[in-house]
Amino acid sequence: LAKTTQPISMDSYEGQEVNITCSHNNIATNDYITWYQQFPSQGPRFIIQGYKTKVTNEVASLFIPADRKSSTLSLPRVSLSDTAVYYCLVGESYGGSQGNLIFGKGTKLSVKP
Amino acid sequence: DTAVSQTPKYLVTQMGNDKSIKCEQNLGHDTMYWYKQDSKKFLKIMFSYNNKELIINETVPNRFSPKSPDKAHLNLHINSLELGDSAVYFCASSHLNYEQYFGPGTRLTVT
């Protein structure tokens, strides 16, 4: 199983760039890497997904090195509203073992003014 | 316009009872999921299901059973509720392994 490891918590200030790294040493060939954001009392919300190299969308970037054993979620210029828990998920496309759909324990990001 | 909805939002019940949580998605997705988030906020997948296959996390007790009357619904039935079942249960849906859309959650409290 592709187990993931993330920092438990991170602190930042408004306007800074935040990088959260997830380790997944046992990632399989067919696994994708997906990040979710969760606010208190809400369900997780998709942020970004990638397979290798770099992916960028309107809210974040995802950096994946060649060996794919880790990935880094980059949030540019965070604001107070980015305070949330961020989960790294590693799992293969449907049809494979569902047991690979494993969320990390999440990183609690606190953004201060 | 809610993409993934769950009912009820809160559920308080006694040990030994049987209860159900309903989930509906209007996104046309082919895969639906149930997750359990415990007091430590650890999010664990319980089931994933499409119209072809139900995949069960082997750690889930057989007191839990998903039932899908159609592609847009995946309900969760829980028999003989135990104190340890208290948690927030999230339903989600996706197309294949693309982004999952989560419901608002159902907070289950077993007394």
Side-chain angles (χ1 to χ4, degrees), chain B residues 2-60:
Chain B
T2 304
V4 182
S5 59
Q6 296 178 228
T7 54
K9 187 170 178 61
Y10 299 96
L11 181 55
V12 181
T13 188
Q14 292 183 330
M15 287 175 57
N17 286 347
D18 303 338
K19 290 293 179 184
S20 296
I21 305 172
K22 295 184 178 181
C23 177
E24 176 181 2
Q25 56 96 2
N26 62 5
L27 299 167
H29 286 160
D30 47 44
T31 307
M32 296 184 72
Y33 312 82
W34 276 105
Y35 288 84
K36 177 182 180 181
Q37 188 166 42
D38 59 25
S39 58
K40 297 181 179 179
K41 306 300 182 184
F42 201 0
L43 196 61
K44 296 181 180 178
I45 190 164
M46 302 176 71
F47 307 99
S48 66
Y49 181 79
N50 71 6
N51 58 356
K52 298 179 182 178
E53 187 177 16
L54 169 66
I55 301 178
I56 302 171
N57 186 323
E58 61 187 11
T59 67
V60 175

Side-chain angles (χ1 to χ4, degrees), chain A residues 77-107:
Chain A
R77 297 181 298 280
V78 295
S79 64
L80 295 177
S81 62
D82 292 318
T83 295
V85 177
Y86 292 82
Y87 291 96
C88 169
L89 172 64
V90 174
E92 64 182 79
S93 55
Y94 188 84
S97 170
Q98 173 261 31
N100 286 343
L101 283 175
I102 299 174
F103 274 74
K105 293 187 178 181
T107 297

Side-chain angles (χ1 to χ4, degrees), chain B residues 17-19 21 63-64 76-81 85 108:
Chain B
N17 286 347
D18 303 338
K19 290 293 179 184
I21 305 172
R63 299 182 293 104
F64 291 79
L76 181 65
H77 296 269
I78 316 170
N79 295 326
S80 302
L81 278 156
D85 297 333
L108 171 65

